[in-house]
Amino acid sequence: MVTEKIETAYSGFKMNGFVALILYIALIAASIASIIYGGINEYGLIIGGGITLLIISFIAIIGFFTLEPNEAAVMIFFGKYKGTFNQHGFYWVNPFMSRKRLTMRARNLDAEPIKVNDKEGNPILIGMVIVWKLKDTYKAMFEIDAQSIAVGATGANAATRMNAFEKYVRIQGDAALREVAGLYAYDDNKDTTDD
């Protein structure tokens, strides 16, 4: 039995970005100071510790990120979904956590008119306007293959990802429009009045 996975809020470690930035600057200062101190006093162990702290600080910088209002980040840790982060602001999380940004804003899709057949087989030209927005980031990222349409690589930004989703919505909208148009007659010639 396949259970349907739904979006969950990210509950992993997160830190205010400004507090983390102060700690980050202190980490760099400590690493540089230990390298200089170890070099002056010829302590190889302290120099090695300073270099190690410097490498850790270069890795730690990857953990900083910002989110704007009505944006979300799908958090993935080595291929495993860890939740959706949707608190706007400046934050620091585990630098090995990948973040895929999505916009939660409403979007408009004005599709070009298409030629379809109505219930009686008459060809008609019909168009549509769709207003849509993401509701479940988990389903959008892992159940729709739309991101591979435009992305192809792992480093896509939110706009590229959302354009791929828009293409998916356009295809699904066209299919739904064809089905609905086929259920009704465009020109109903039946006389409904009683003589």
Side-chain angles (χ1 to χ4, degrees):
M1 180 174 141
V2 176
T3 58
E4 185 175 314
K5 191 116 179 184
I6 57 171
E7 175 181 321
T8 58
Y10 175 70
S11 60
F13 178 77
K14 63 181 180 278
M15 182 185 289
N16 182 300
F18 296 106
V19 173
L21 187 61
I22 292 169
L23 293 174
Y24 176 74
I25 292 169
L27 180 66
I28 289 178
S31 64
I32 292 172
S34 64
I35 291 171
I36 292 172
Y37 178 77
I40 291 172
N41 296 319
E42 297 180 6
Y43 294 136
L45 189 59
I46 294 177
I47 292 173
I51 291 172
T52 303
L53 284 176
L54 197 58
I55 292 170
I56 290 171
S57 67
F58 286 137
I59 294 171
I61 198 167
I62 301 169
F64 289 102
F65 75 103
T66 59
L67 275 182
E68 296 177 5
N70 286 324
E71 267 191 345
V74 175
M75 309 299 274
I76 303 167
F77 186 67
F78 292 110
K80 186 173 182 184
Y81 173 70
K82 290 296 186 179
T84 300
F85 193 95
N86 55 13
Q87 299 170 349
H88 62 280
F90 181 47
Y91 292 95
W92 185 88
V93 295
N94 183 341
F96 298 107
M97 186 85 59
S98 68
R99 301 168 295 274
K100 297 184 184 285
R101 295 174 186 265
L102 297 170
T103 180
M104 305 302 283
R105 297 176 179 107
R107 297 173 65 92
N108 294 322
L109 176 66
D110 185 8
E112 293 292 323
I114 57 175
K115 188 180 274 190
V116 297
N117 293 331
D118 68 358
K119 185 177 183 178
E120 296 178 359
N122 299 321
I124 58 172
L125 197 61
I126 189 168
M128 69 178 162
V129 175
I130 301 174
V131 179
W132 65 280
K133 67 187 257 182
L134 286 180
K135 183 177 178 184
D136 189 326
T137 58
Y138 179 86
K139 288 182 180 179
M141 287 302 299
F142 302 113
E143 293 185 11
I144 298 173
D145 197 26
Q147 61 262 27
S148 67
I149 295 169
V151 178
T154 57
N157 62 17
T160 304
R161 206 170 277 116
M162 293 310 294
N163 287 338
F165 289 136
E166 185 171 310
K167 185 174 181 179
Y168 173 80
V169 170
R170 180 184 309 273
I171 292 168
Q172 295 298 312
D174 282 352
L177 184 62
R178 289 178 191 279
E179 185 174 330
V180 170
L183 296 176
Y184 301 98
Y186 176 73
D187 191 18
D188 191 3
N189 293 327
K190 296 177 184 172
D191 189 7
T192 57
T193 58
D194 293 328
D195 289 331

